[in-house]
Amino acid sequence: MRVLLVEDNAADAMVAQAAIERTSFGPAVVARAASLAAALGIVDSTEVHLVLLDLNVPDSRGLATLESMRAAARCPIIVITAEDRPGLDEEALEKGAFEILHKGKLTTDAIARVLRLAEGQRKVQASLESAEHRYRQLIEVAPDAIFVHADWRIVVVNPAMLKLFHAERPGQVLGHDVLELIAPHSREMVRERIKRLYERQQIVPLTEVEYQRVDGTLFRAEVTGASFTYAGRPAAQVVARDITERKKAELALLDSEGRFRSLTELSADWYWEQDAELRMSFHSKGFAQSSGTTSDRLLGKRRWEEPNRLPLSGSWDEHRATLAARRPFRDFEYVRVGDDGVHHYVSLSGVPIFDATGEFKGYRGVGRNITERKEAEQALRSSEARFRSLTELSADWYWEQDAELRFTYVSPGFPERSTHEAAAILGKRRWEFENVIPASGTWEDHRRVLEAHEPFRDFEQITVRADGTRLFISSSGQPVFDDAGNFLGYRGVGTNISVRKDAEEKLAQLAQYDAVTGLPNRNLLQERLEHAIAQARRHDRGAAVLFVDLDRFKLVNDTHGHQVGDQLLAQVGRSLKDCVRKDDTVSRLGGDEFAVVIADLARPDDAALVAQKILDSFAAPFALGGQEAFITASIGVATFPNDGDGADTLLKCADVAMYRAKESSRNAFCFYTAEMNVRAASKLQLNTDLRHALERREFRLHYQPKVNLATGEMIGMEALLRWQHAERGLVPPLEFVPALEDSGLIVAVGDWVVEEACRQMTEWSRAGLVLSPVAVNLSARQFRRRDLDQVIRRQLAEHGLSAALLELEITESSLMEDPKDAIRQLQVLREAGLRISVDDFGTGYSSLAYLTRLPLSTLKIDRVFVNAAISEPSSAAIVKMVIDMAQRLSFDVVAEGIETDAHVTFLRQNGCSQGQGYHFGRPIPAEAMAPRMRRV
């Protein structure tokens, strides 16, 4: 036991300490302090079990010393004093002293007695503090709100209470009047309850109280409490549990029960319950009205125990097995025959009921009278049977589509009347079938009608069978909507109209085609010619009519008979079709007269080429049943717009021209105008001479230098085609190159140009001359050849030349005929190592988007812009733009047609480094070019 002796008088301290040591209480440790400050220091730093306190010490006098020590020490305090003032003992006890000892009466027995009392007090105090600690721990972790109020003031709260009352800290409720926590309208009632609680010291039974939180919100709580004395004051401990959610659930349950009751009473369905033995225990009010019987006839019975009930599918045993297995069931249907013989159809659904322990308690569910539905289903089945019979016997078939326009149904007659099995069509849209096309319009037109949910009638489709024959189908349909106006799909009928279409085509064939040759007759020719004229007028092109009359056909007819004559006419028709393009028209006008419509003519005199081709085709004999017949033709040619602007006019002019040809020599053609005859004869002679030019080695290559504009040094050359005619001399390129293009000879001549350029470079190399790249021009036809890269690779390999020495020039317009194919072809040529130049750049209509994708090397500015650049600002701007664009795209740029120093200066100032033109030299033969080349 540790004792603190507070005494400043040494003699008194010795007396007190000796008295303590002489007691038989047990060992004690005595600490002495001569002042209050020293005593408080010991109490603060050391556990003290008893304090012997002199009231008068140097730094404190009287009862103030007791008050200071009482505030610091949590143990009994025994006052030792020499004062004998009346009332001192009572005052000291009121101030918290445990006992009073006077120094004159300080004996060993007195000390021992006081120590025993103090030790007992200390143990009681420790027990109380331990109990209070456990109590506080308990309420701190309690899930319910716990608080204590003493004399109307809140003195203790736990965390759960702070959370329930939305208090962030204890100070928001501690010290406050407990009635502040009560809802205002309940405070007077609660005040009376608290008064009685304070007065009677009792436990409050469980009750409900409406509280008000710190933030003003209200809630209901379930409360219990007990009264006690706290620090000498009446107090009560309250335990509160929030029941707001439970109250809401109770109200919701009451509301739900009310709605359920209303629902079962007002609904056409009814609610039922069975007990654990599957006997009916409850029916709602709707049962009697909907089932054809009363509730009391079935209550206490199992469902299958009432007579006149039959399941509509399965059996009662199967239903009983479901119930025995405690499985839910849905739409169990049965029919009950009433006493009046009326059939009542019922559908039941139910679920098993189990209590909290899992014990089976029965079934509950709903019932519905389905008599009307069953009668409607029977009526529908009857209607469907009649409809099925109708569609199976009809030549048409019935179909349905869903909201996504996919077929969902076709009647059984469909496969026999179409090329598709029913399974192959279901799930597909009409336009998703292979080899099926609209007879007129497009699928997009038909889809627009369907997407607008409009009806359609006689929509015709063509199915092309594997053997090439065609099936025609006509469909009609109307949209389907539900009661709310939502689109559900389409329904309609289909008809095989192939027989009708075949008949219509045969009639059209007879009306517009010749029966002997199968060619269009005069009526259809008239339509085709008018269309060709309209197209030519729209696109600023030409058209022509060739009137073909067979020479001496009457002799064949009279000699061999009309049957052989008809065979000859059919063969002539086929021969004429072989001489024209697919878009041209060959017609038989009657007898031995034919007409040919040539559409989209570039030049009127091109019609002479077709006429000559027809005459040439007649040079071979016609085989007629083991015999050969030779026949010629006289052809009259009329052109639009030179000879007329209408179909009738052109036919008359061609007829007149034909008679002129027949009168002149037969086996010839004649234009309606003399001028055209002269031009046609000249063109035919030109084509004939060109065909022999390659054989006679009349073509030549001349070379024009390409120079560095800064130094004047030759850095390459362009090979240009020339024709040295045996009689006419040097023919201008503008005269014969278009003819090469039209006749198709340009491909063969183009191959010769590449071969000759390679041969000449090899010859120069052998002569010890330094080679520079040679550019050759490619025609549009040549450029479109799929094997062009192989042809050029072969020529380079045969002559042992590098691909870097050959440059290909292609006109801008040739590239833009088919930009996507041009990109492919250029990539192939670049992969072969060849340089590609765009010739006459600026004269075409290039898309800059495509230009950036073309694998080019060089842009050549057309001579028209270069010549005008020093005098016309617009041309100068174009030249500058091309130079700038080429540099930005990393292309070389070459100016053509340079004729003066002014041109050179302008081009150099604007960044063009290469050029060619008469200023540097005209195109010259190879032998004349050699002296201008450097030697190795």
Side-chain angles (χ1 to χ4, degrees):
M1 182 176 183
R2 286 185 293 277
V3 179
L4 172 62
L5 175 60
V6 185
E7 176 62 70
D8 61 325
N9 187 292
D12 291 343
M14 289 179 63
V15 172
Q17 187 169 352
I20 293 171
E21 291 173 352
R22 286 194 300 270
T23 64
S24 59
F25 178 75
V29 177
V30 180
R32 180 190 168 204
S35 65
L36 178 62
L40 294 177
I42 293 172
V43 169
D44 186 53
S45 60
T46 304
E47 183 179 5
V48 175
H49 298 145
L50 177 65
V51 176
L52 297 180
L53 177 67
D54 186 0
L55 293 180
N56 297 312
V57 289
D59 53 353
S60 181
R61 309 293 291 177
L63 292 175
T65 306
L66 173 61
E67 291 177 348
S68 297
M69 182 56 68
R70 189 72 189 89
R74 296 181 59 81
C75 63
I77 301 173
I78 299 174
V79 173
I80 300 176
T81 181
E83 291 187 35
D84 196 18
R85 178 169 59 83
L88 176 62
D89 292 2
E90 290 77 6
E91 291 178 19
L93 291 174
E94 288 180 4
K95 296 291 185 181
F98 179 73
E99 186 61 79
I100 308 296
L101 292 179
H102 291 273
K103 291 181 179 181
K105 302 176 181 179
L106 198 60
T107 65
T108 300
D109 291 340
I111 290 294
R113 178 181 61 80
V114 171
L115 288 178
R116 280 193 297 273
L117 291 174
E119 175 63 9
Q121 175 67 20
R122 184 184 68 81
K123 289 180 178 181
V124 171
Q125 183 69 27
S127 177
L128 288 174
E129 288 178 355
S130 176
E132 183 178 356
H133 177 69
R134 289 195 301 272
Y135 168 75
R136 288 193 176 275
Q137 282 186 324
L138 179 63
I139 68 170
E140 285 292 319
V141 299
D144 291 333
I146 299 175
F147 62 96
V148 175
H149 56 86
D151 202 12
W152 303 97
R153 297 291 172 180
I154 299 171
V155 294
V156 176
V157 295
N158 72 341
M161 186 272 186
L162 298 178
K163 181 178 180 181
L164 180 60
F165 283 85
H166 294 182
E168 296 180 358
R169 57 188 184 279
Q172 290 180 274
V173 289
L174 287 176
H176 287 248
D177 192 321
V178 68
L179 292 178
E180 293 179 12
L181 300 182
I182 307 302
H185 57 272
S186 301
R187 287 177 182 171
E188 288 304 317
M189 177 187 68
V190 173
R191 184 193 304 275
E192 294 302 318
R193 289 183 182 177
I194 293 175
K195 279 183 179 180
R196 291 194 296 273
L197 187 64
Y198 281 168
E199 293 169 355
R200 300 177 184 175
Q201 296 286 303
Q202 62 183 5
I203 296 175
V204 178
L206 193 66
T207 187
E208 290 184 13
V209 175
E210 188 167 16
Y211 283 101
Q212 178 173 275
R213 295 186 176 95
V214 171
D215 57 12
T217 58
L218 303 178
F219 70 97
R220 296 195 69 82
E222 202 170 56
V223 177
T224 184
S227 58
F228 64 100
T229 300
Y230 179 87
R233 295 176 292 167
Q237 175 180 281
V238 179
V239 179
R241 177 174 296 169
D242 188 359
I243 58 171
T244 303
E245 294 303 321
R246 192 186 79 190
K247 284 295 182 181
K248 289 181 180 179
E250 290 173 356
L251 291 174
L253 179 60
L254 290 173
D255 184 56
S256 175
E257 289 176 348
R259 289 198 303 271
F260 175 73
R261 190 177 302 106
S262 299
L263 177 64
T264 55
E265 291 176 357
L266 297 174
S267 174
D269 298 346
W270 65 86
Y271 174 76
W272 55 265
E273 290 182 358
Q274 288 172 298
D275 60 20
E277 296 181 352
L278 305 178
R279 300 180 187 277
M280 302 307 302
S281 58
F282 176 76
H283 284 110
S284 64
K285 290 183 179 180
F287 173 73
Q289 299 174 352
S290 301
S291 65
T293 185
T294 58
S295 179
D296 55 359
R297 295 182 62 174
L298 191 58
L299 290 178
K301 293 181 180 180
R302 299 178 178 88
R303 190 171 287 120
W304 49 86
E305 292 176 348
E306 187 192 23
N308 303 327
R309 284 194 186 198
L310 294 174
L312 293 181
S313 61
S315 64
W316 283 121
D317 290 339
E318 292 174 348
H319 181 59
R320 290 169 67 177
T322 299
L323 301 184
R326 311 300 187 237
R327 293 196 304 266
F329 62 91
R330 188 174 185 82
D331 298 326
F332 172 69
E333 298 179 357
Y334 68 85
V335 59
R336 179 183 179 279
V337 182
D339 297 338
D340 55 0
V342 176
H343 287 64
H344 298 272
Y345 293 88
V346 172
S347 174
L348 299 177
S349 297
V351 293
I353 308 168
F354 300 92
D355 64 13
T357 64
E359 182 181 354
F360 174 66
K361 291 297 184 180
Y363 270 85
R364 66 163 65 100
V366 292
R368 173 175 294 181
N369 187 322
I370 57 172
T371 303
E372 290 185 3
R373 191 190 81 191
K374 287 295 180 180
E375 291 173 349
E377 289 174 355
Q378 181 58 44
L380 181 60
R381 282 193 292 270
S382 300
S383 176
E384 287 178 346
R386 292 194 299 273
F387 174 74
R388 190 177 301 108
S389 300
L390 176 65
T391 55
E392 290 175 356
L393 295 173
S394 172
D396 298 344
W397 60 84
Y398 175 75
W399 55 263
E400 291 181 357
Q401 292 173 315
D402 60 19
E404 295 182 351
L405 306 177
R406 301 181 188 276
F407 282 101
T408 57
Y409 174 80
V410 288
S411 61
F414 175 74
E416 292 80 11
R417 303 179 182 94
S418 71
T419 59
H420 300 283
E421 292 296 328
I425 189 175
L426 297 179
K428 291 185 177 180
R429 301 177 178 90
R430 187 172 283 114
W431 50 88
E432 292 177 346
F433 299 101
E434 294 182 0
N435 305 323
V436 179
I437 59 174
S440 62
T442 64
W443 284 122
E444 286 71 21
D445 298 333
H446 181 58
R447 290 173 67 174
R448 278 193 289 271
V449 172
L450 301 184
E451 289 167 0
H453 303 159
E454 296 176 353
F456 61 92
R457 189 172 187 81
D458 299 327
F459 174 66
E460 297 180 1
Q461 309 117 72
I462 304 172
T463 299
V464 182
R465 297 187 179 96
D467 60 1
T469 59
R470 297 183 300 172
L471 172 74
F472 289 84
I473 290 176
S474 175
S475 300
S476 299
Q478 61 182 13
V480 182
F481 302 92
D482 63 13
D483 294 339
N486 298 311
F487 174 66
L488 300 180
Y490 269 85
R491 66 165 66 104
V493 294
T495 306
N496 187 330
I497 58 172
S498 298
V499 174
R500 190 189 83 195
K501 282 295 180 179
D502 289 343
E504 290 175 355
E505 287 187 359
K506 289 177 181 177
L507 288 174
Q509 186 79 12
L510 292 173
Q512 295 186 314
Y513 289 86
D514 176 56
V516 175
T517 62
L519 297 174
N521 61 16
R522 184 182 291 271
N523 293 332
L524 186 54
L525 172 74
Q526 189 87 8
E527 292 180 16
R528 300 273 181 87
L529 180 54
E530 289 173 353
H531 178 72
I533 292 172
Q535 290 292 101
R537 184 179 290 113
R538 184 178 298 114
H539 299 293
D540 196 22
R541 301 282 284 182
V545 179
L546 278 62
F547 205 108
V548 182
D549 185 86
L550 303 183
D551 297 331
R552 299 182 180 86
F553 173 74
K554 186 175 182 300
L555 179 62
V556 175
N557 231 4
D558 293 344
T559 303
H560 301 287
H562 289 288
Q563 185 174 2
V564 174
D566 287 348
Q567 292 178 19
L568 176 60
L569 291 173
Q571 289 191 40
V572 168
R574 289 194 291 272
S575 180
L576 291 174
K577 290 181 69 175
D578 291 340
C579 293
V580 299
R581 300 166 300 182
K582 182 178 66 174
D583 294 334
D584 297 331
T585 299
V586 176
S587 168
R588 183 186 176 215
L589 302 179
D592 59 356
E593 294 179 338
F594 294 82
V596 178
V597 175
I598 305 173
D600 193 29
L601 274 179
R603 291 173 294 276
D605 49 355
D606 286 346
L609 300 176
V610 181
Q612 186 60 50
K613 188 175 182 181
I614 293 172
L615 295 178
D616 293 343
S617 71
F618 281 18
F622 291 92
L624 300 171
Q627 304 179 52
E628 289 185 342
F630 288 88
I631 196 166
T632 59
S634 298
I635 303 174
V637 183
T639 62
F640 168 85
N642 297 344
D643 300 329
D645 59 359
D648 291 334
T649 303
L650 289 179
L651 285 170
K652 289 177 182 177
C653 291
D655 192 15
V656 171
M658 183 273 294
Y659 278 106
R660 289 179 187 167
K662 194 174 283 289
E663 291 170 357
S664 63
S665 62
R666 297 181 186 270
N667 193 28
F669 69 87
C670 181
F671 277 86
Y672 179 71
T673 60
E675 177 190 356
M676 288 298 299
N677 282 323
V678 173
R679 288 170 57 185
S682 175
K683 185 164 188 173
L684 285 175
Q685 185 60 49
L686 179 64
N687 283 331
T688 301
D689 291 346
L690 282 172
R691 291 183 184 277
H692 297 299
L694 269 178
E695 302 168 6
R696 298 169 181 169
R697 299 183 179 181
E698 294 178 351
F699 288 118
R700 305 282 187 271
L701 287 184
H702 285 190
Y703 299 88
Q704 185 177 33
K706 181 169 64 175
V707 302
N708 184 314
L709 297 182
T711 64
E713 177 187 2
M714 186 175 72
I715 56 175
M717 62 187 79
E718 181 179 359
L720 300 167
L721 181 64
R722 296 293 184 263
W723 181 19
Q724 188 68 40
H725 194 279
E727 298 176 359
R728 297 173 58 190
L730 199 62
V731 181
L734 290 177
E735 184 175 337
F736 73 85
V737 171
L740 287 175
E741 290 274 6
D742 293 340
S743 64
L745 290 171
I746 192 66
V747 176
V749 174
D751 289 347
W752 176 85
V753 169
V754 173
E755 181 183 6
E756 175 61 17
C758 291
R759 187 201 63 77
Q760 185 60 59
M761 283 192 285
T762 303
E763 185 176 315
W764 281 333
S765 178
R766 288 172 181 167
L769 301 177
V770 176
L771 298 181
S772 55
V774 175
V776 296
N777 291 280
L778 294 181
S779 68
R781 287 194 180 190
Q782 197 176 3
F783 177 65
R784 289 195 294 270
R785 289 177 59 180
R786 295 291 178 177
D787 62 344
L788 177 61
D789 64 310
Q790 300 174 22
V791 172
I792 296 175
R793 286 176 190 263
R794 185 167 57 249
Q795 291 294 340
L796 291 170
E798 288 178 0
H799 292 87
L801 297 174
S802 167
L805 290 173
L806 189 65
E807 186 170 7
L808 305 180
E809 292 193 5
I810 307 164
T811 62
E812 182 183 6
S813 56
S814 297
L815 293 176
M816 289 301 106
E817 285 182 6
D818 187 348
K820 292 184 178 178
D821 187 66
I823 292 173
R824 181 202 61 77
Q825 183 75 302
L826 289 176
Q827 287 174 339
V828 171
L829 294 173
R830 284 303 298 270
E831 288 171 1
L834 297 163
R835 292 175 57 81
I836 312 294
S837 298
V838 178
D839 199 11
D840 302 334
F841 187 77
T843 60
Y845 300 94
S846 298
S847 165
L848 294 181
Y850 275 114
L851 188 63
T852 60
R853 296 167 56 190
L854 296 174
L856 302 173
S857 306
T858 306
L859 298 183
K860 298 189 75 173
I861 308 174
D862 188 75
R863 65 183 68 251
V864 174
F865 299 117
V866 174
N867 286 333
I870 58 177
S871 60
E872 295 180 5
S874 59
S875 294
I878 292 174
V879 172
K880 293 177 183 179
M881 179 192 69
V882 174
I883 294 171
D884 180 65
M885 180 177 62
Q887 291 174 345
R888 291 179 183 273
L889 296 176
S890 299
F891 295 157
D892 292 335
V893 60
V894 178
E896 295 183 297
I898 299 175
E899 298 182 355
T900 66
D901 287 334
H903 287 141
V904 175
T905 302
F906 170 79
L907 291 167
R908 289 179 58 187
Q909 288 174 346
N910 287 283
C912 181
S913 60
Q914 302 177 34
Q916 66 185 77
Y918 289 172
H919 185 68
F920 304 108
R922 293 174 178 272
I924 55 179
E927 57 269 20
M929 178 60 73
R932 299 191 58 173
M933 300 172 66
R934 292 186 298 109
R935 290 193 171 274
V936 177

